[in-house]
Amino acid sequence: MFLRSTLSSLCSHTVRSSLVFHTTTPSAGLHASARCNHAVSASGLCAMPAKTAKEAIYDQSKGPEESGGLAKVLKNNEAWSEQKKAADPSYFKDMEKGQKPTYLYLGCADSRVPAESLMGLQPGDMFVHRNIANMCPSWDVSVNAILQFGVGVLGCKHILVCGHTNCGGVHASTIPTLEGKNLSAVNTWLRTIRDVNRAHADFLMSIPDEKERLLALIEINVVEQCINVALTDVVKSTREEKGGYPHIHGLLYDIGNGLVRPVRPELKKRVIDAHQEHAHRIFSVDPSSVFPNLKQNNIKKNEIK
Ligand code: CO
């Protein structure tokens, strides 16, 4: 049971190397954290005087990591805030009024792929969801909630599904099981990408160059996730109501040169064709509606650069 949900109510005596959002166990009357044995009041809150949020944060910045760790990002943040205010004194006041992003971004969590900045977008422009290998499995509550809220409530008009070169998640999916400690959740997650790999195995194995094969899988995975996005209730119904919006765009970010480009049309066609072959059995909508502008007749089957 979370009795403390805000930073300002944290017990300052427990804030050292990481933020601890305390839970309390009323029956025991003690914090659940092993680092704090302070008695709690009847309300379940720590009876010791709490420091302000800022003091609690800055306590953590002390120690051997003066040039790094949390101190670094807090200092950067302060400079960023000042810079924004200097350029526009009402910037943050305007932000407080609400958000109306044009774009919904579904991308990989890779630290080399900064969603907004690589596209020159600003806070408020894009509703962002990131996970390993930019997946949108139908069973994932988080991504479905993002789509429901981003499309259904915020009204995002463009959904950007963005993969990237050298994607470790997609590459890991080509390995039967990742060996190592505490990787069960990663392996579970990778199963969904392995399904993509398996569905296109014949084509992928026809590509002799390993690097090209991985790139093809990365792009094919983007297209598969675009289809998953298109098949969600909220996207289907919103498209019917709003003349085709939101549009779905399958993209690839090249870590080697910083450029974003659309997924290769021939790979889009390949995936769409594969789904259409089974559409009558699997889907309730025509998968070709995912990319209405894709001119399939202009693309030779099996063509790949
Ligand atoms: Co990745």
Side-chain angles (χ1 to χ4, degrees), residues 5-301:
S5 58
T6 60
L7 186 60
S8 59
S9 63
L10 283 174
C11 168
S12 61
H13 295 81
T14 63
V15 181
R16 288 178 191 161
S17 61
S18 62
L19 291 180
V20 177
F21 287 79
H22 281 173
T23 57
T24 64
T25 48
S27 58
L30 296 173
H31 284 297
S33 166
R35 287 188 290 171
C36 179
N37 274 342
H38 301 146
V40 295
S41 65
S43 67
L45 298 177
C46 178
M48 298 298 286
K51 293 184 179 180
T52 66
K54 201 160 188 176
E55 284 172 333
I57 291 170
Y58 276 105
D59 274 353
Q60 295 179 96
S61 69
K62 294 175 182 172
E65 291 189 274
E66 287 301 332
S67 62
L70 184 59
K72 177 181 174 180
V73 295
L74 291 177
K75 193 176 170 188
N76 289 349
N77 166 251
E78 212 163 291
W80 175 81
S81 171
E82 291 304 323
Q83 181 195 348
K84 288 289 186 192
K85 283 184 281 192
D88 178 3
S90 66
Y91 182 81
F92 291 109
K93 286 291 170 203
D94 291 341
M95 281 288 152
E96 280 187 318
K97 292 173 187 168
Q99 61 171 328
K100 192 67 180 167
T102 302
Y103 304 99
L104 189 156
Y105 177 92
L106 174 59
C108 184
D110 193 300
S111 63
R112 300 165 294 177
V113 189
E116 290 99 336
S117 58
L118 73 86
M119 297 179 188
L121 298 176
Q122 299 299 319
D125 290 341
M126 191 154 74
F127 200 54
V128 174
H129 182 76
R130 297 171 67 175
N131 58 37
I132 292 176
N134 42 271
M135 301 299 288
C136 181
S138 60
W139 46 264
D140 184 57
V141 174
S142 179
V143 73
N144 277 284
I146 286 284
L147 288 169
Q148 284 190 359
F149 195 78
V151 173
V153 179
L154 296 178
C156 292
K157 291 229 166 18
H158 297 274
I159 300 174
L160 313 179
V161 180
C162 189
H164 67 95
T165 59
N166 300 81
C167 182
V170 174
H171 181 257
S173 76
T174 65
I175 300 164
T177 304
L178 288 186
E179 301 293 342
K181 284 176 67 178
N182 304 326
L183 287 174
S184 59
V186 178
N187 276 312
T188 300
W189 186 254
L190 291 178
R191 282 177 63 182
T192 309
I193 319 175
R194 291 190 178 107
D195 289 342
V196 173
N197 198 344
R198 186 173 63 247
H200 300 277
D202 289 346
F203 167 66
L204 291 166
M205 290 314 294
S206 74
I207 304 172
D209 183 80
E210 200 173 329
K211 200 174 172 188
E212 280 297 316
R213 194 187 313 139
L214 176 62
L215 183 59
L217 176 56
I218 289 167
E219 292 187 62
I220 283 171
N221 182 51
V222 167
V223 181
E224 290 281 2
Q225 303 320 312
C226 287
I227 292 172
N228 285 345
V229 167
L231 293 172
T232 58
D233 287 346
V234 67
V235 171
K236 277 194 294 186
S237 63
T238 306
R239 284 178 145 191
E240 286 166 10
E241 291 163 16
K242 301 194 175 174
Y245 284 101
H247 291 175
I248 302 170
H249 310 271
L251 303 172
L252 181 86
Y253 173 66
D254 191 330
I255 286 182
N257 61 21
L259 296 175
V260 175
R261 65 163 171 80
V263 165
R264 283 172 283 181
E266 61 268 27
L267 293 180
K268 276 186 186 176
K269 182 180 185 312
R270 170 170 290 282
V271 178
I272 294 291
D273 283 349
H275 279 277
Q276 280 183 322
E277 283 176 20
H278 302 282
H280 65 286
R281 284 194 289 128
I282 301 173
F283 296 118
S284 58
V285 298
D286 179 0
S288 66
S289 66
V290 178
F291 303 111
N293 296 326
L294 182 64
K295 294 181 175 55
Q296 299 201 36
N297 292 337
N298 294 340
I299 305 163
K300 290 178 189 168
K301 200 166 188 178

